[in-house]
Amino acid sequence: MAAAAAGTRVFLEVRRRLQSALLILGEPKEGSMPVDISIAPRSLRVKTPEGCTELRLPAEVSLVPSSCRGLQYVPGDGLHLRLQVRAESDAKLISMFNQSSEAQGCCTFYCQSCGEVVIRDRKLLRVLALPSENWGALVEEWCCHPDPFANKPLHPQENDCFIGDSFFLVNLRSDLWQPRPESAPVETHCPSSENHFKLKPKANTKVICKRCKVMLGETMSSETTKFYMTEIIIQPSERNFSIIPRSRFVQNVVAQCLVELSAARSTFRFTIQGHDGKAYILLWLLNSDSLVIESLGSSKSIKKFPLLEDSLKEDSSSAWNAVKVLYQPCIKNRNEKLSSAWESDISIHSLTLPSATCLELLLILSRNNATLPPSLRSMNSFQAPITESHRLSHEQQKFIPHGPGGWEVQDQGIGRVRMWCS
Protein backbone atom coordinates (compact mmCIF):
# COMPACT_ATOMS: atom_id res chain seq x y z
CA MET A 1 0.00 0.00 0.00
CA ALA A 2 1.33 3.44 -0.88
CA ALA A 3 0.01 6.94 -0.80
CA ALA A 4 1.00 10.37 -1.90
CA ALA A 5 -0.22 12.57 0.90
CA ALA A 6 -1.00 16.18 0.21
CA GLY A 7 -2.91 17.77 3.05
CA THR A 8 -6.24 15.89 3.31
CA ARG A 9 -6.67 13.36 6.07
CA VAL A 10 -8.36 10.15 4.93
CA PHE A 11 -9.64 7.67 7.51
CA LEU A 12 -11.17 4.33 6.48
CA GLU A 13 -12.44 1.74 8.99
CA VAL A 14 -13.28 -1.63 7.43
CA ARG A 15 -15.46 -4.10 9.34
CA ARG A 16 -14.64 -7.55 7.99
CA ARG A 17 -17.59 -9.41 9.47
CA LEU A 18 -20.09 -6.79 8.33
CA GLN A 19 -18.37 -6.29 4.95
CA SER A 20 -18.82 -2.54 5.33
CA ALA A 21 -16.63 0.51 5.76
CA LEU A 22 -16.79 4.03 7.16
CA LEU A 23 -14.89 6.65 5.16
CA ILE A 24 -14.04 9.99 6.79
CA LEU A 25 -12.44 12.80 4.80
CA GLY A 26 -10.82 15.45 6.96
CA GLU A 27 -12.49 18.85 7.16
CA PRO A 28 -11.21 20.95 4.24
CA LYS A 29 -9.35 24.15 4.86
CA GLU A 30 -10.28 27.52 3.47
CA GLY A 31 -9.24 27.79 -0.14
CA SER A 32 -9.14 24.02 -0.62
CA MET A 33 -12.48 23.85 -2.42
CA PRO A 34 -13.69 22.23 -4.59
CA VAL A 35 -12.85 18.68 -3.47
CA ASP A 36 -12.92 15.87 -6.04
CA ILE A 37 -13.23 12.36 -4.58
CA SER A 38 -12.67 9.31 -6.77
CA ILE A 39 -13.52 5.86 -5.39
CA ALA A 40 -12.24 2.78 -7.20
CA PRO A 41 -12.29 -0.84 -5.96
CA ARG A 42 -8.63 -0.75 -4.92
CA SER A 43 -7.95 2.92 -4.17
CA LEU A 44 -9.27 6.28 -2.99
CA ARG A 45 -8.21 9.62 -4.41
CA VAL A 46 -8.96 13.06 -2.97
CA LYS A 47 -8.02 16.02 -5.14
CA THR A 48 -8.03 19.65 -3.97
CA PRO A 49 -6.43 22.81 -5.33
CA GLU A 50 -3.57 22.14 -2.87
CA GLY A 51 -2.77 18.68 -4.20
CA CYS A 52 -3.86 15.08 -4.37
CA THR A 53 -4.08 12.39 -1.68
CA GLU A 54 -4.21 8.79 -2.86
CA LEU A 55 -4.87 5.84 -0.59
CA ARG A 56 -4.26 2.36 -1.99
CA LEU A 57 -5.90 -0.53 -0.20
CA PRO A 58 -4.31 -3.78 1.02
CA ALA A 59 -4.62 -6.79 -1.26
CA GLU A 60 -7.32 -8.45 0.87
CA VAL A 61 -9.69 -5.45 0.71
CA SER A 62 -11.68 -4.03 -2.19
CA LEU A 63 -14.43 -1.41 -2.20
CA VAL A 64 -17.83 -1.52 -3.91
CA PRO A 65 -18.04 2.04 -5.30
CA SER A 66 -21.69 1.79 -6.36
CA SER A 67 -22.74 1.19 -2.72
CA CYS A 68 -21.78 4.68 -1.50
CA ARG A 69 -24.50 6.02 0.80
CA GLY A 70 -25.18 8.14 3.88
CA LEU A 71 -23.11 11.18 2.97
CA GLN A 72 -23.10 13.64 5.85
CA TYR A 73 -20.99 16.51 7.09
CA VAL A 74 -19.83 16.32 10.72
CA PRO A 75 -18.44 19.58 12.14
CA GLY A 76 -14.83 19.14 13.22
CA ASP A 77 -14.54 15.85 11.32
CA GLY A 78 -15.40 16.48 7.70
CA LEU A 79 -17.34 14.26 5.34
CA HIS A 80 -18.65 10.83 6.46
CA LEU A 81 -19.60 8.18 3.94
CA ARG A 82 -20.51 4.49 4.24
CA LEU A 83 -19.99 1.83 1.60
CA GLN A 84 -19.75 -1.90 1.17
CA VAL A 85 -16.44 -3.75 0.92
CA ARG A 86 -15.21 -7.18 0.02
CA ALA A 87 -12.71 -8.16 2.69
CA GLU A 88 -11.20 -11.47 3.62
CA SER A 89 -12.11 -12.67 7.09
CA ASP A 90 -9.54 -11.87 9.72
CA ALA A 91 -6.96 -14.57 10.40
CA LYS A 92 -7.11 -16.47 13.66
CA LEU A 93 -4.84 -15.24 16.41
CA ILE A 94 -1.67 -17.29 16.73
CA SER A 95 -0.93 -18.11 20.34
CA MET A 96 2.50 -17.37 21.73
CA PHE A 97 2.89 -21.12 22.20
CA ASN A 98 1.61 -24.18 20.42
CA GLN A 99 -0.27 -25.48 23.43
CA SER A 100 0.34 -29.21 23.10
CA SER A 101 2.32 -31.90 24.83
CA GLU A 102 4.58 -32.39 21.83
CA ALA A 103 8.24 -31.63 22.32
CA GLN A 104 9.15 -28.03 21.69
CA GLY A 105 12.46 -26.53 20.66
CA CYS A 106 14.60 -24.57 23.08
CA CYS A 107 13.28 -21.11 23.95
CA THR A 108 14.90 -18.04 25.46
CA PHE A 109 13.01 -15.58 27.64
CA TYR A 110 14.00 -11.92 27.18
CA CYS A 111 13.10 -8.72 28.97
CA GLN A 112 11.00 -6.90 26.39
CA SER A 113 12.18 -3.46 27.45
CA CYS A 114 15.93 -3.97 27.12
CA GLY A 115 16.58 -7.44 25.68
CA GLU A 116 18.27 -8.86 28.78
CA VAL A 117 18.19 -12.68 28.83
CA VAL A 118 15.98 -13.92 31.66
CA ILE A 119 15.90 -17.68 30.92
CA ARG A 120 18.29 -19.13 28.37
CA ASP A 121 17.75 -22.27 26.26
CA ARG A 122 14.74 -23.67 28.11
CA LYS A 123 13.22 -26.77 26.47
CA LEU A 124 9.49 -26.70 27.09
CA LEU A 125 7.92 -30.14 26.92
CA ARG A 126 4.51 -29.11 28.29
CA VAL A 127 2.77 -25.81 27.64
CA LEU A 128 -0.60 -25.88 29.38
CA ALA A 129 -3.36 -23.35 29.95
CA LEU A 130 -4.38 -22.79 33.57
CA PRO A 131 -8.07 -23.31 34.41
CA SER A 132 -10.41 -20.38 34.75
CA GLU A 133 -10.79 -18.51 38.02
CA ASN A 134 -14.00 -20.35 38.92
CA TRP A 135 -12.76 -23.90 38.55
CA GLY A 136 -12.44 -24.47 42.30
CA ALA A 137 -16.08 -23.60 42.88
CA LEU A 138 -17.14 -26.11 40.22
CA VAL A 139 -15.17 -29.07 41.59
CA GLU A 140 -18.08 -30.09 43.82
CA GLU A 141 -20.23 -30.43 40.70
CA TRP A 142 -17.65 -32.67 39.04
CA CYS A 143 -16.74 -34.96 41.93
CA CYS A 144 -18.90 -37.20 44.12
CA HIS A 145 -16.18 -37.32 46.79
CA PRO A 146 -14.19 -34.63 48.65
CA ASP A 147 -12.19 -32.17 46.56
CA PRO A 148 -9.04 -34.04 45.41
CA PHE A 149 -7.35 -30.75 44.49
CA ALA A 150 -7.69 -29.08 47.88
CA ASN A 151 -4.44 -27.51 49.10
CA LYS A 152 -2.63 -28.61 45.93
CA PRO A 153 -1.38 -25.52 44.13
CA LEU A 154 -0.42 -25.93 40.49
CA HIS A 155 3.37 -25.86 40.32
CA PRO A 156 5.06 -26.18 36.92
CA GLN A 157 7.85 -28.71 36.66
CA GLU A 158 11.26 -27.98 35.18
CA ASN A 159 10.16 -28.25 31.53
CA ASP A 160 6.65 -26.88 32.00
CA CYS A 161 5.10 -23.53 31.24
CA PHE A 162 1.62 -22.77 32.56
CA ILE A 163 -0.28 -19.97 30.85
CA GLY A 164 -2.72 -17.73 32.70
CA ASP A 165 -4.82 -14.87 31.39
CA SER A 166 -1.94 -12.39 31.38
CA PHE A 167 1.07 -14.28 32.74
CA PHE A 168 3.31 -17.35 32.47
CA LEU A 169 4.26 -19.66 35.34
CA VAL A 170 7.70 -21.27 34.96
CA ASN A 171 10.06 -23.25 37.15
CA LEU A 172 13.47 -21.66 37.72
CA ARG A 173 15.06 -24.51 39.68
CA SER A 174 17.87 -25.22 37.20
CA ASP A 175 18.52 -21.73 35.84
CA LEU A 176 21.66 -19.81 36.65
CA TRP A 177 19.84 -16.51 36.27
CA GLN A 178 17.70 -16.08 39.34
CA PRO A 179 15.17 -13.31 40.02
CA ARG A 180 15.94 -10.99 42.89
CA PRO A 181 12.96 -10.76 45.23
CA GLU A 182 13.80 -8.53 48.14
CA SER A 183 12.29 -10.98 50.61
CA ALA A 184 10.94 -14.53 50.47
CA PRO A 185 7.20 -14.89 49.77
CA VAL A 186 4.75 -16.55 52.06
CA GLU A 187 2.49 -18.87 50.08
CA THR A 188 -1.15 -19.85 50.49
CA HIS A 189 -3.38 -21.59 47.98
CA CYS A 190 -6.09 -19.76 46.06
CA PRO A 191 -7.83 -21.75 43.29
CA SER A 192 -7.79 -19.20 40.46
CA SER A 193 -5.98 -18.86 37.15
CA GLU A 194 -5.65 -15.17 37.87
CA ASN A 195 -3.93 -15.78 41.19
CA HIS A 196 -3.10 -19.40 42.02
CA PHE A 197 -0.94 -18.24 44.88
CA LYS A 198 -1.92 -15.51 47.28
CA LEU A 199 0.93 -13.79 49.11
CA LYS A 200 0.92 -11.84 52.31
CA PRO A 201 0.92 -8.14 51.44
CA LYS A 202 4.12 -7.43 53.40
CA ALA A 203 6.18 -9.86 51.33
CA ASN A 204 8.02 -8.10 48.50
CA THR A 205 8.10 -10.65 45.72
CA LYS A 206 8.87 -8.49 42.70
CA VAL A 207 11.08 -9.92 39.98
CA ILE A 208 13.24 -7.11 38.59
CA CYS A 209 15.27 -7.03 35.38
CA LYS A 210 18.95 -6.81 36.28
CA ARG A 211 19.69 -4.36 33.49
CA CYS A 212 16.76 -1.91 33.20
CA LYS A 213 15.13 -2.49 36.64
CA VAL A 214 11.67 -3.03 35.11
CA MET A 215 9.31 -5.30 37.02
CA LEU A 216 9.02 -8.57 35.06
CA GLY A 217 6.84 -10.59 37.41
CA GLU A 218 6.54 -12.02 40.88
CA THR A 219 7.95 -14.95 42.82
CA MET A 220 5.22 -17.46 43.69
CA SER A 221 7.38 -19.94 45.62
CA SER A 222 11.03 -20.90 45.96
CA GLU A 223 10.92 -22.50 42.50
CA THR A 224 7.93 -20.98 40.68
CA THR A 225 7.94 -17.53 39.12
CA LYS A 226 5.13 -15.63 37.40
CA PHE A 227 6.18 -13.51 34.42
CA TYR A 228 3.72 -11.01 32.95
CA MET A 229 3.12 -11.32 29.20
CA THR A 230 3.58 -7.58 28.70
CA GLU A 231 7.14 -7.71 30.06
CA ILE A 232 8.60 -10.86 28.48
CA ILE A 233 9.36 -11.91 24.90
CA ILE A 234 9.79 -15.65 24.28
CA GLN A 235 11.66 -16.64 21.12
CA PRO A 236 13.34 -19.77 19.76
CA SER A 237 16.92 -19.82 21.01
CA GLU A 238 18.36 -19.91 17.48
CA ARG A 239 16.66 -16.59 16.63
CA ASN A 240 18.26 -13.26 17.52
CA PHE A 241 16.38 -10.89 19.77
CA SER A 242 14.57 -8.16 17.83
CA ILE A 243 13.45 -4.96 19.50
CA ILE A 244 9.73 -4.17 19.19
CA PRO A 245 8.54 -0.64 20.06
CA ARG A 246 7.24 -0.81 23.60
CA SER A 247 3.80 0.73 23.05
CA ARG A 248 3.13 -1.49 20.03
CA PHE A 249 4.09 -4.61 21.99
CA VAL A 250 1.94 -3.73 25.01
CA GLN A 251 -1.19 -2.97 23.01
CA ASN A 252 -0.75 -6.08 20.84
CA VAL A 253 -0.45 -8.34 23.90
CA VAL A 254 -3.41 -6.74 25.67
CA ALA A 255 -5.52 -6.86 22.50
CA GLN A 256 -4.77 -10.56 22.06
CA CYS A 257 -5.71 -11.25 25.69
CA LEU A 258 -9.02 -9.41 25.29
CA VAL A 259 -9.94 -11.18 22.06
CA GLU A 260 -9.04 -14.65 23.36
CA LEU A 261 -10.89 -14.15 26.65
CA SER A 262 -13.99 -12.74 24.97
CA ALA A 263 -14.11 -15.72 22.60
CA ALA A 264 -13.48 -18.32 25.31
CA ARG A 265 -15.68 -16.90 28.07
CA SER A 266 -18.20 -14.67 26.28
CA THR A 267 -17.19 -11.70 28.39
CA PHE A 268 -16.60 -8.27 26.87
CA ARG A 269 -15.99 -6.05 29.90
CA PHE A 270 -12.68 -6.06 31.74
CA THR A 271 -10.95 -4.28 34.59
CA ILE A 272 -7.21 -3.72 34.22
CA GLN A 273 -5.70 -3.80 37.68
CA GLY A 274 -2.15 -3.47 38.91
CA HIS A 275 -0.20 -6.04 40.89
CA ASP A 276 -1.03 -3.87 43.91
CA GLY A 277 -4.72 -4.79 43.49
CA LYS A 278 -5.85 -1.30 42.41
CA ALA A 279 -8.09 -0.86 39.38
CA TYR A 280 -6.56 1.43 36.74
CA ILE A 281 -8.76 1.06 33.64
CA LEU A 282 -12.25 -0.15 32.78
CA LEU A 283 -12.38 -1.65 29.28
CA TRP A 284 -15.37 -2.60 27.14
CA LEU A 285 -14.54 -4.58 24.01
CA LEU A 286 -16.80 -3.56 21.10
CA ASN A 287 -15.37 -5.47 18.14
CA SER A 288 -12.16 -7.13 17.00
CA ASP A 289 -12.63 -7.31 13.23
CA SER A 290 -11.64 -3.77 12.25
CA LEU A 291 -9.02 -2.90 9.69
CA VAL A 292 -8.00 0.78 9.86
CA ILE A 293 -6.44 2.42 6.81
CA GLU A 294 -5.36 6.00 7.21
CA SER A 295 -3.48 8.78 5.49
CA LEU A 296 -2.68 11.56 7.94
CA GLY A 297 -1.76 14.08 5.29
CA SER A 298 -0.21 17.20 6.79
CA SER A 299 -2.53 17.29 9.79
CA LYS A 300 -1.27 19.43 12.66
CA SER A 301 -4.00 18.36 15.07
CA ILE A 302 -2.44 15.05 16.09
CA LYS A 303 -1.64 15.31 19.78
CA LYS A 304 1.93 14.40 20.66
CA PHE A 305 2.82 12.10 23.56
CA PRO A 306 6.52 12.61 24.39
CA LEU A 307 6.67 9.51 26.67
CA LEU A 308 5.71 7.22 23.77
CA GLU A 309 7.59 6.56 20.57
CA ASP A 310 6.16 8.53 17.65
CA SER A 311 4.49 5.83 15.58
CA LEU A 312 2.31 8.27 13.64
CA LYS A 313 4.19 10.57 11.32
CA GLU A 314 2.85 13.39 9.23
CA ASP A 315 2.55 12.86 5.49
CA SER A 316 2.36 9.11 6.01
CA SER A 317 -0.14 6.32 5.50
CA SER A 318 -0.66 3.06 7.32
CA ALA A 319 -2.96 0.08 7.69
CA TRP A 320 -3.39 -2.10 10.74
CA ASN A 321 -5.76 -4.56 12.35
CA ALA A 322 -7.47 -3.11 15.38
CA VAL A 323 -9.80 -3.92 18.25
CA LYS A 324 -12.27 -1.24 19.25
CA VAL A 325 -12.77 -0.61 22.96
CA LEU A 326 -14.42 1.87 25.24
CA TYR A 327 -12.40 2.79 28.30
CA GLN A 328 -12.57 4.81 31.49
CA PRO A 329 -9.57 5.64 33.70
CA CYS A 330 -9.81 4.90 37.41
CA ILE A 331 -6.73 6.76 38.63
CA LYS A 332 -6.91 9.65 41.10
CA ASN A 333 -10.33 8.52 42.40
CA ARG A 334 -11.99 8.90 39.01
CA ASN A 335 -15.12 6.83 38.25
CA GLU A 336 -15.17 5.30 41.74
CA LYS A 337 -18.86 4.34 41.62
CA LEU A 338 -18.57 2.77 38.19
CA SER A 339 -15.41 0.92 39.20
CA SER A 340 -17.07 -0.46 42.34
CA ALA A 341 -20.08 -1.61 40.33
CA TRP A 342 -17.84 -3.41 37.83
CA GLU A 343 -15.78 -5.08 40.56
CA SER A 344 -18.93 -6.58 42.09
CA ASP A 345 -20.23 -7.83 38.73
CA ILE A 346 -19.32 -11.50 38.21
CA SER A 347 -19.62 -11.14 34.43
CA ILE A 348 -16.66 -8.75 34.34
CA HIS A 349 -13.16 -10.23 34.11
CA SER A 350 -10.02 -8.79 35.68
CA LEU A 351 -6.59 -8.70 34.06
CA THR A 352 -3.61 -8.10 36.32
CA LEU A 353 -0.48 -6.32 35.03
CA PRO A 354 2.39 -4.46 36.68
CA SER A 355 1.13 -1.12 37.94
CA ALA A 356 3.61 0.79 35.75
CA THR A 357 2.33 -1.08 32.70
CA CYS A 358 -1.26 -0.18 33.61
CA LEU A 359 -0.32 3.49 33.53
CA GLU A 360 1.55 2.92 30.28
CA LEU A 361 -1.50 1.24 28.76
CA LEU A 362 -3.68 4.15 29.86
CA LEU A 363 -1.30 6.53 28.09
CA ILE A 364 -1.40 4.37 24.95
CA LEU A 365 -5.20 4.37 24.96
CA SER A 366 -5.21 8.15 25.36
CA ARG A 367 -2.77 8.53 22.48
CA ASN A 368 -4.76 6.23 20.20
CA ASN A 369 -7.98 7.99 21.13
CA ALA A 370 -6.49 11.40 20.33
CA THR A 371 -5.54 10.28 16.81
CA LEU A 372 -9.12 9.32 15.90
CA PRO A 373 -11.51 11.72 14.19
CA PRO A 374 -13.28 13.68 16.97
CA SER A 375 -16.69 12.08 16.44
CA LEU A 376 -15.24 8.60 17.09
CA ARG A 377 -13.51 9.44 20.38
CA SER A 378 -16.40 8.98 22.80
CA MET A 379 -19.62 7.09 23.39
CA ASN A 380 -22.22 7.51 26.14
CA SER A 381 -20.59 7.91 29.57
CA PHE A 382 -17.22 6.69 28.34
CA GLN A 383 -14.98 9.69 27.67
CA ALA A 384 -16.34 13.16 26.85
CA PRO A 385 -19.77 13.75 25.29
CA ILE A 386 -20.06 12.77 21.65
CA THR A 387 -19.62 15.53 19.11
CA GLU A 388 -23.11 15.81 17.71
CA SER A 389 -23.29 15.36 13.95
CA HIS A 390 -26.00 16.59 11.69
CA ARG A 391 -27.15 15.25 8.36
CA LEU A 392 -27.33 17.76 5.55
CA SER A 393 -30.85 19.16 5.36
CA HIS A 394 -32.73 19.56 2.10
CA GLU A 395 -32.24 23.31 2.35
CA GLN A 396 -28.47 22.96 2.68
CA GLN A 397 -27.70 20.35 0.06
CA LYS A 398 -28.28 19.96 -3.65
CA PHE A 399 -27.49 16.80 -5.63
CA ILE A 400 -26.41 17.46 -9.21
CA PRO A 401 -25.66 14.66 -11.73
CA HIS A 402 -22.07 14.98 -12.85
CA GLY A 403 -21.34 12.56 -15.66
CA PRO A 404 -21.56 8.77 -15.75
CA GLY A 405 -21.24 7.21 -12.31
CA GLY A 406 -20.64 10.54 -10.57
CA TRP A 407 -22.54 13.11 -8.59
CA GLU A 408 -21.90 16.44 -6.98
CA VAL A 409 -23.02 17.87 -3.65
CA GLN A 410 -23.24 21.61 -3.09
CA ASP A 411 -23.49 22.56 0.56
CA GLN A 412 -23.69 26.05 2.03
CA GLY A 413 -21.47 25.08 4.94
CA ILE A 414 -18.64 23.18 3.27
CA GLY A 415 -18.61 24.27 -0.36
CA ARG A 416 -18.69 21.92 -3.33
CA VAL A 417 -17.72 18.24 -3.38
CA ARG A 418 -17.68 16.03 -6.46
CA MET A 419 -17.53 12.24 -6.18
CA TRP A 420 -16.93 9.64 -8.85
CA CYS A 421 -17.64 5.95 -8.31
CA SER A 422 -15.93 3.72 -10.85
Side-chain angles (χ1 to χ4, degrees):
M1 185 192 67
T8 301
R9 181 178 185 180
V10 181
F11 179 91
L12 181 69
E13 181 190 1
V14 176
R15 293 290 307 278
R16 290 189 176 93
R17 294 194 184 101
L18 301 179
Q19 297 288 292
S20 67
L22 170 65
L23 172 63
I24 299 179
L25 303 175
E27 193 163 22
K29 303 176 184 177
E30 292 186 13
S32 61
M33 285 295 182
V35 177
D36 292 339
I37 307 166
S38 298
I39 300 180
R42 303 309 302 273
S43 65
L44 294 166
R45 181 176 296 176
V46 181
K47 187 176 181 180
T48 68
E50 296 180 348
C52 180
T53 299
E54 184 176 4
L55 195 67
R56 295 190 179 94
L57 306 181
E60 68 271 16
V61 177
S62 63
L63 304 176
V64 182
S66 60
S67 66
C68 296
R69 65 190 186 277
L71 178 68
Q72 60 177 331
Y73 170 67
V74 180
D77 263 13
L79 289 173
H80 284 219
L81 181 70
R82 292 192 176 275
L83 65 163
Q84 294 178 359
V85 299
R86 296 187 180 95
E88 296 178 5
S89 60
D90 48 337
K92 293 182 179 179
L93 287 172
I94 300 176
S95 179
M96 203 167 293
F97 286 111
N98 177 21
Q99 297 185 25
S100 68
S101 59
E102 298 177 2
Q104 306 290 321
C106 290
C107 297
T108 297
F109 290 54
Y110 298 92
C111 169
Q112 193 279 327
S113 298
C114 68
E116 176 75 6
V117 174
V118 179
I119 303 176
R120 188 186 301 276
D121 297 336
R122 170 64 65 89
K123 188 174 182 64
L124 299 175
L125 300 180
R126 294 197 308 168
V127 180
L128 304 173
L130 290 168
S132 66
E133 72 277 7
N134 297 320
W135 74 273
L138 297 174
V139 168
E140 293 182 359
E141 304 293 333
W142 298 339
C143 302
C144 59
H145 50 276
D147 183 1
F149 305 107
N151 300 318
K152 292 183 179 179
L154 299 177
H155 289 286
Q157 300 300 312
E158 184 175 339
N159 297 111
D160 294 345
C161 180
F162 292 168
I163 302 178
D165 294 338
S166 60
F167 60 87
F168 309 111
L169 288 182
V170 294
N171 189 301
L172 295 182
R173 179 189 309 167
S174 60
D175 285 271
L176 295 177
W177 188 93
Q178 291 294 333
R180 300 190 307 164
E182 295 183 12
S183 61
V186 180
E187 177 185 319
T188 59
H189 176 54
C190 175
S192 166
S193 73
E194 185 63 32
N195 188 7
H196 281 273
F197 309 90
K198 193 171 183 179
L199 306 175
K200 289 185 177 180
K202 294 184 178 180
N204 191 336
T205 61
K206 291 182 180 180
V207 177
I208 307 297
C209 176
K210 294 188 294 185
R211 178 188 291 176
C212 66
K213 310 305 180 185
V214 165
M215 178 181 175
L216 303 178
E218 300 176 78
T219 299
M220 299 288 98
S221 71
S222 59
E223 297 177 353
T224 302
T225 298
K226 175 170 73 175
F227 291 112
Y228 290 106
M229 292 181 180
T230 54
E231 315 306 319
I232 293 291
I233 287 183
I234 305 173
Q235 293 184 343
S237 296
E238 63 272 11
R239 186 187 305 173
N240 294 329
F241 175 79
S242 56
I243 296 178
I244 302 175
R246 174 67 181 166
S247 64
R248 185 194 306 170
F249 179 80
V250 169
Q251 61 186 328
N252 285 351
V253 170
V254 173
Q256 179 169 323
C257 289
L258 297 180
V259 172
E260 290 182 345
L261 287 170
S262 65
R265 306 184 185 180
S266 298
T267 181
F268 302 94
R269 290 186 293 170
F270 304 86
T271 57
I272 307 298
Q273 64 180 24
H275 67 279
D276 54 7
K278 297 180 181 178
Y280 284 79
I281 311 171
L282 307 179
L283 279 178
W284 194 327
L285 177 64
L286 295 182
N287 68 268
S288 57
D289 65 335
S290 290
L291 172 66
V292 177
I293 308 167
E294 185 174 22
S295 175
L296 297 180
S298 57
S299 173
K300 303 295 183 181
S301 61
I302 304 299
K303 187 177 180 180
K304 302 297 182 181
F305 286 75
L307 295 179
L308 299 176
E309 62 272 4
D310 189 10
S311 60
L312 296 175
K313 298 180 180 180
E314 294 179 1
D315 300 325
S316 66
S317 61
S318 56
W320 64 91
N321 295 315
V323 297
K324 186 184 292 186
V325 299
L326 299 176
Y327 78 97
Q328 283 281 23
C330 297
I331 59 176
K332 296 183 178 179
N333 299 322
R334 296 178 63 180
N335 301 300
E336 284 186 292
K337 292 184 178 179
L338 183 60
S339 177
S340 298
W342 279 40
E343 288 177 3
S344 59
D345 191 332
I346 61 173
S347 67
I348 295 175
H349 192 77
S350 295
L351 284 177
T352 301
L353 301 173
S355 299
T357 302
C358 293
L359 294 174
E360 191 175 4
L361 177 60
L362 183 57
L363 189 61
I364 292 170
L365 290 170
S366 300
R367 190 270 306 273
N368 292 352
N369 189 62
T371 61
L372 291 173
S375 65
L376 303 183
R377 296 178 189 173
S378 57
M379 182 176 179
N380 297 335
S381 62
F382 282 70
Q383 297 302 295
I386 297 177
T387 303
E388 185 175 355
S389 62
H390 67 280
R391 190 175 297 275
L392 300 178
S393 66
H394 292 292
E395 291 76 17
Q396 289 180 301
Q397 64 183 8
K398 185 188 299 181
F399 290 87
I400 304 174
H402 198 90
W407 43 269
E408 180 179 286
V409 179
Q410 290 185 342
D411 173 72
Q412 298 175 2
I414 62 174
R416 190 173 81 243
V417 177
R418 289 195 299 269
M419 179 171 292
W420 283 267
C421 301
S422 56

